[in-house]
Amino acid sequence: MGMRKFMFDLENQIPRNKIKYNEPLRNHTFIRLGGEADILVQPTTNEEIQTVIDIARRNNVPLTILGKGSNTIIKDKGIRGITLSLSHFNQIEVKGCEIKAQSGADIIAVSRAALDHTLTGLEFACGIPGSVGGALYMNAGAYGGQVSDVLQSAHVLTRGGELLNLSGEEMELGYRKSIFRSDRYIILDAVFRLEEGDQASISAKMNELTLARESKQPLEYPSCGSVFKRPEGHFAGKLIQDCQLQGTRIGGAEVSTKHAGFIVNVDNATAQDYLDLIEHIQQKVREKFDVELETEVITLGE
C-alpha cells in the first residue's frame, strides 16, 4: 500500500510530464552510461523541488540529486527511489553586476550571459561542462579561476525542507570541495557577483580558453571530465602518462590518448569498465610513484 500511496501523492502534486519511470540514466549523463532510475523527476520550480523532498521524506524514499551529470558516473544497476534531475530548472537573470542562476542552468550559459552584459569574472567557466549546482558542489575551476572567486550566496533547501540563504563563507569552498559534499543541502540557485568589463576583452579571453580546451581535451568521445584531483606537488595527467597508461582499455573505457587525465567511452562502456580502469590507474601510479590519486568524479547508484 505504501508504495501506491506514495506514487499517488507524487502524481497528484507534480505534473505527470515531469515524472519518468525506469528511466535509463545514460540519457542524463555526459558519459552516456549507467542503469535506470526507478523514478526520475524533472522539476522546474522551487515549489516542485520542495514537494518532492517532502514526499520522499514522509514516505522514507531515498532521494538522489542529479545536475547535468557531467562529472558523474552512475553505476550499472542504476538508482533506487527518486532521482531529482535539475536539468530543466535552469533560469538565469542578470541585475546590474549580479547574475542569479538556478542550479540546473549550465555554468557555460551563465558565463555567456556575463559576456552579453559585459561582466567580467566568469570567463574561466566558459568551457566547464556542468550545472551551476555541480559547479558549487565541486567549487569547479579552470584556467586559474574558480567558482569561489565570484560566488556571493546561494539559496538551498535542507533535507528537512527548510529554506536557507548561505553566504560564500558558509559554503566552505576549497579545492574541489564545499559544504555541499556532505549532502545536507539541495542547491536551488546561486548569485555571482561580477564586475563591469570590456566586451571585446571578455570575448577574446573566452575564445582563447575555449581554444585551449578544444586542443587539449578529448571532446570527440563521451567522458566524465577530469577523473582525478590534482595530487599535492604533481599533475595527475603527467603521472598517468609516465606510467604509459594512455590508450589502456578495459571494455569500452579507455585512458584518452589526447589527455591522460580523461577516460573516454569509446565503445559502449559500462560503469564497471570505468571503475575497473580507475582502480587500475590508481594501482599503477601507486606502484610507480607512491602517490595516491583521489577521484574528483562523483559515483552514484548501485
Side-chain angles (χ1 to χ4, degrees), residues 207-229:
N207 289 338
E208 176 199 330
L209 297 183
T210 300
L211 207 65
R213 177 168 179 263
E214 284 170 356
S215 63
K216 290 196 183 82
Q217 296 184 11
L219 305 177
E220 57 276 21
Y221 292 109
S223 87
C224 53
S226 183
V227 178
F228 301 103
K229 294 180 190 173

Side-chain angles (χ1 to χ4, degrees), residues 37-79:
D38 289 350
I39 304 167
L40 184 86
V41 185
Q42 294 179 299
T44 54
T45 67
N46 284 354
E47 293 70 37
E48 286 171 355
I49 294 173
Q50 268 171 306
T51 300
V52 173
I53 293 170
D54 192 43
I55 291 174
R57 190 182 68 241
R58 281 203 319 263
N59 294 280
N60 234 339
V61 173
L63 179 68
T64 304
I65 312 296
L66 191 61
K68 283 275 179 263
S70 62
N71 206 208
T72 311
I73 295 172
I74 292 173
K75 294 184 182 171
D76 296 315
K77 289 205 174 96
I79 300 179

Side-chain angles (χ1 to χ4, degrees), residues 111-250:
S111 80
R112 295 214 181 110
L115 167 67
D116 292 342
H117 292 80
T118 37
L119 296 174
T120 178
L122 261 177
E123 290 87 340
F124 74 89
C126 70
I128 296 177
S131 64
V132 165
L136 264 61
Y137 186 91
M138 306 280 293
N139 186 18
Y143 302 115
Q146 52 185 4
V147 164
S148 51
D149 302 337
V150 288
L151 183 59
Q152 181 159 307
S153 61
H155 285 107
V156 301
L157 283 170
T158 64
R159 289 272 172 175
E162 190 191 352
L163 183 65
L164 303 173
N165 192 21
L166 300 181
S167 69
E169 286 74 71
E170 289 172 305
M171 294 182 229
E172 297 168 19
L173 302 158
Y175 173 61
R176 297 298 169 268
K177 66 174 199 268
S178 69
I179 196 166
F180 302 117
R181 298 200 85 140
S182 68
D183 237 19
R184 299 204 304 268
Y185 303 109
I186 290 146
I187 304 164
L188 293 176
D189 59 51
V191 176
F192 299 96
R193 176 107 193 134
L194 305 171
E195 284 169 21
E196 283 179 28
D198 167 71
Q199 190 129 28
S201 26
I202 297 168
S203 178
K205 177 91 174 145
M206 285 169 72
N207 289 338
E208 176 199 330
L209 297 183
T210 300
L211 207 65
R213 177 168 179 263
E214 284 170 356
S215 63
K216 290 196 183 82
Q217 296 184 11
L219 305 177
E220 57 276 21
Y221 292 109
S223 87
C224 53
S226 183
V227 178
F228 301 103
K229 294 180 190 173
R230 189 176 60 238
E232 198 74 43
H234 299 276
F235 288 102
K238 176 95 173 78
L239 295 171
I240 295 166
Q241 218 169 334
D242 292 346
C243 288
Q244 268 96 48
L245 287 167
Q246 279 180 289
T248 303
R249 198 186 274 207
I250 292 181

